[in-house]
Structure formats: C-alpha cells, structure tokens
Amino acid sequence: MADVVNEQEQPTNIGAGDFPHNHNQRHGIVLPPVQNNNFKIKSGLIAMVQGNKFHGLPMEDPLDHLDEFERLCGLTKINGVSEDGFKLRLFPFSLGDKAHLWEKTLPKNSITTWDDCKKAFLAKFFSNSRTARLRNEISGITLKQNESFYEAWERFKGYQTKCPHHGFSQASLLNTLYRGVLPKIRMLLDTASNGNFLKKDVEEGWELVENFAQSGGNYNEDYDRSICTSSDTNDKHHREMKALNDKLDKIIQMQQKHVHFITEDEPFQVKEGENNQCGEIRYVHNQGGYNKGYNNYRPNPNLSYRSTNVANPQDQVYPQQQQQQNQPKPLVPYNQSLGFVPKQQFQGGYQQQQPLPGFTPHQQQAHAPQNSDIMTVLQ
C-alpha cells in the first residue's frame, strides 16, 4: 500500500531528520547543453557582471539592468555555445539580495530560454505601480518651471523609454504633448504646420517636433526659459531687494562714527569748561595702567561708575577719593609669569558722580534728528 512506509527509509535515530541528506540545484533555469567541451567563461567577464548587480530595490530599473547585461554578454562569442545558453549561465551572477533569492525560488525547470527568463524577471520586478506612474507622467506631460521645450521633449521621450509598454500610439503622444505645452509654443507649432499642428501627418508631426526641440536646444536654449517663468515679477523683486539693501547701507553709514586716536605728539585742544586731564580706559584688574610703556596714567577723579545692582542705590555709601587730582599714580611692577599685578589699595567700589562741565551723558543725548533721518531714508 501507498500509505505504508518502508521501515528501511525511516531514520535510524530521532534527530536524523533535522538536516537534509542530499543537495539539489535550487533554481528553475534549465541550462541548454553545449557542444564545445572547452567552454569556459572568463573571470574578467564574470567580475564585470558582478559589478553591475541588480538587488531588487524600488529605485532600480530592471530594464536598465537587462540592457547592461546584454551589452556585456555581447562582448564575447564562443563557438559551439548558443546565445541563450551563454546568457542563462551568466545571468545568476548579476543578481543579488532579493533578486538572487527570487532566482532560487523559481519553479523547477520553468525557464528554458532567455526570453522566458526576461519575462519572469520583468514580471517580478517591474511592478504595476511603476507602470501606472510612468503612464501618468506621459499622459500629463507639462513644462516645469524654468524648463525649455527641448528639456521637456527629452523628458517626455525618457518616460516612453522607461515604460515601453505604455500603450499610447504616436498620434496620441503628439496630441498629449501639443496640449501640455505653453500657448506660445503651440502657436509656433501651428505656424510651422500651416495653421494647425493637429492636422499634420503623424510622421511629419514627429519630425517637426524633433527639429523644433533640437533647434531650441542648440541655438536658443534660454528662449523658452523666459516664456516658462514670469520675468517681470522676478525683475521687480530684484529691484525692490536692491533698493532695500541701499537704504540699509545708508542707515548703517549714518550710524557709524569716526574714532580719532590722539598720539603723544599731537596737541589736544581743551574746550571751555572741560578739565585738562583726559580719561583713559584702563584694564579693570590692573587699576594701575597698562604697565608695558604706558605708566603715565592720570585718571579723572570726577569720572566713576555707580553700581545699580542694589535695593536702594541712593543710600549706597562709597569710599572717599584717596588721591588728589594732580597726584601721580605709583608704578605697578609687571610680572612676566603672573601677568598684571592689581593695585593693593583698590577698594573694589565703583562710584558715579556728577559729569564734567560741558559733558552730556550718553543717555541724555537726543536721538530725534537721527531717527528722523532714518525715517526719511526708509521713505
């Protein structure tokens, strides 16, 4: 009986069936026999094929892979070996990852010719969604922004190459292109067709469009670019931006102040009501002047700073001035290893007293004239 299992075929131990006992080829490609006993595929050709593997990713084009594979196979001809036999033996080397797994899972002896292999390959990796997307691109062709007619025509032919089974006739393709371009381009096509492009013969219309695109691409590449975009709007935008930048430059120049540094030999004119001594900016941690050649520092006792970081600034007590107006400050030694040595008698307090005669604080200066000038520039 068929249901009775031969005891000799049963495993001798419990774990004997946990691994395969033999190995068979796991591909469905049937390799045709060859008549050449010295048949051998060169390792260089195999390396070139393996360098252009198809992995079955969505961004890969299966048609491009087949084109490249057949181009490489056309480099070698061997006597006694058919073209199908040569390509079927070499094709598995061009597959990787998902595509290699697909080749192993083909039904046994399902592929006998190269055409059968291509059909099965395209049916697996050229999805219906890719076909629908390319057909929509063909049927909805329009000129993109800043795209010339030559570029649009090349893109339109590229869609047809990527989807050779799109199903549109040449008359339908020309009609779609004619209705998708800009009105001025349609007018040029009508003018070249004695009034109506749609009444022209299909072959003549295809040749006319090809010549028109080549003419625009070779001699006047930027002509259709000016049609596709609104040049007036862009020029107006650039003029407005340039005017705004000019106004900002004027405002910055008005606010800039020229600083003049007085040297020791240059005479300094003291205005009426000002003290003969000029205040200098000194290093805060030194308090004795910058001690590398600038030891003749004479501070103005009437200039000081008051700290406002207290609860009641008006009740804050500051130490009395310990130096007279004309009393020179002692020299502070400069240590090369330690840097600036702070003055020992510095008490750490900052005071703010009445300003010098004829000196107007910065906070009290009027900005109305400058603001009015800025508003005049902006207007």
Side-chain angles (χ1 to χ4, degrees), residues 119-310:
K119 290 179 182 179
F121 177 75
L122 293 175
K124 174 64 178 179
F125 296 105
F126 204 103
S127 60
N128 295 332
S129 60
R130 183 192 292 266
T131 301
R133 178 178 60 82
L134 291 174
R135 284 177 177 172
N136 291 335
E137 295 288 352
I138 294 173
S139 61
I141 182 68
T142 55
L143 266 69
K144 297 181 179 179
Q145 186 177 7
N146 298 333
E147 185 181 31
S148 65
F149 180 75
Y150 171 78
E151 295 171 343
W153 173 244
E154 293 297 324
R155 180 167 56 89
F156 186 61
K157 292 191 298 183
Y159 292 148
Q160 302 172 40
T161 305
K162 292 180 180 179
C163 185
H165 56 289
H166 52 75
F168 298 104
S169 62
Q170 285 191 347
S172 178
L173 292 174
L174 290 175
N175 194 344
T176 302
L177 179 67
Y178 175 78
R179 301 185 185 280
V181 297
L182 297 176
K184 290 187 177 182
I185 298 180
R186 288 201 299 266
M187 183 181 64
L188 294 176
L189 293 175
D190 290 337
T191 303
S193 303
N194 296 327
N196 193 349
F197 176 77
L198 297 179
K199 292 183 178 182
K200 203 172 186 62
D201 186 70
V202 175
E203 295 182 0
E204 294 178 357
W206 198 273
E207 183 179 1
L208 174 62
V209 172
E210 186 72 31
N211 294 334
F212 182 75
Q214 292 294 335
S215 176
N218 294 335
Y219 302 105
N220 197 6
E221 183 179 358
D222 295 332
Y223 176 73
D224 289 304
R225 292 179 184 271
S226 62
I227 298 177
C228 296
T229 183
S230 178
S231 58
D232 296 338
T233 304
N234 292 338
D235 293 342
K236 182 180 178 181
H237 177 70
H238 290 317
R239 289 195 299 268
E240 292 178 354
M241 292 297 297
K242 186 178 183 303
L244 182 59
N245 291 333
D246 294 341
K247 291 181 179 180
L248 291 177
D249 293 339
K250 290 181 180 180
I251 294 175
I252 294 175
Q253 292 177 0
M254 292 173 57
Q255 292 182 348
Q256 289 179 348
K257 296 181 180 179
H258 180 71
V259 179
H260 179 70
F261 296 92
I262 301 177
T263 60
E264 296 181 355
D265 299 334
E266 183 178 356
F268 177 73
Q269 183 179 2
V270 181
K271 296 182 180 180
E272 183 180 357
E274 293 183 354
N275 197 312
N276 192 20
Q277 289 182 334
C278 60
E280 301 183 45
I281 298 176
R282 56 182 177 174
Y283 186 67
V284 175
H285 294 288
N286 187 16
Q287 297 298 330
Y290 187 83
N291 293 310
K292 293 183 69 176
Y294 299 94
N295 293 325
N296 55 350
Y297 170 73
R298 293 186 179 89
N300 193 330
N302 295 326
L303 294 177
S304 62
Y305 297 91
R306 176 185 296 272
S307 176
T308 59
N309 191 17
V310 294

Side-chain angles (χ1 to χ4, degrees), residues 13-157:
N13 53 58
I14 298 176
D18 293 342
F19 57 90
H21 295 277
N22 54 15
H23 172 261
N24 296 322
Q25 290 292 334
R26 296 176 296 168
H27 55 75
I29 299 177
V30 179
L31 301 178
V34 295
Q35 299 177 359
N36 189 350
N37 296 329
N38 296 326
F39 167 66
K40 180 180 178 181
I41 300 178
K42 296 182 179 180
S43 60
L45 181 60
I46 296 178
M48 293 175 63
V49 171
Q50 289 180 337
N52 187 36
K53 282 189 176 183
F54 182 84
H55 302 275
L57 300 177
M59 69 285 300
E60 293 179 308
D61 192 347
L63 291 175
D64 289 343
H65 178 71
L66 291 178
D67 292 340
E68 185 65 21
F69 176 76
E70 291 189 344
R71 187 178 295 109
L72 293 176
C73 291
L75 300 176
T76 303
K77 296 292 183 181
I78 301 176
N79 295 329
V81 180
S82 64
E83 185 178 353
D84 285 4
F86 182 77
K87 292 180 179 179
L88 289 177
R89 283 176 170 82
L90 193 59
F91 185 68
F93 292 97
S94 67
L95 304 178
D97 298 335
K98 294 181 180 180
H100 180 64
L101 180 62
W102 162 81
E103 188 267 332
K104 288 183 177 181
T105 57
L106 286 172
K108 188 176 182 180
N109 301 330
S110 61
I111 305 297
T112 57
T113 63
W114 174 239
D115 290 338
D116 295 339
C117 182
K118 290 192 295 184
K119 290 179 182 179
F121 177 75
L122 293 175
K124 174 64 178 179
F125 296 105
F126 204 103
S127 60
N128 295 332
S129 60
R130 183 192 292 266
T131 301
R133 178 178 60 82
L134 291 174
R135 284 177 177 172
N136 291 335
E137 295 288 352
I138 294 173
S139 61
I141 182 68
T142 55
L143 266 69
K144 297 181 179 179
Q145 186 177 7
N146 298 333
E147 185 181 31
S148 65
F149 180 75
Y150 171 78
E151 295 171 343
W153 173 244
E154 293 297 324
R155 180 167 56 89
F156 186 61
K157 292 191 298 183

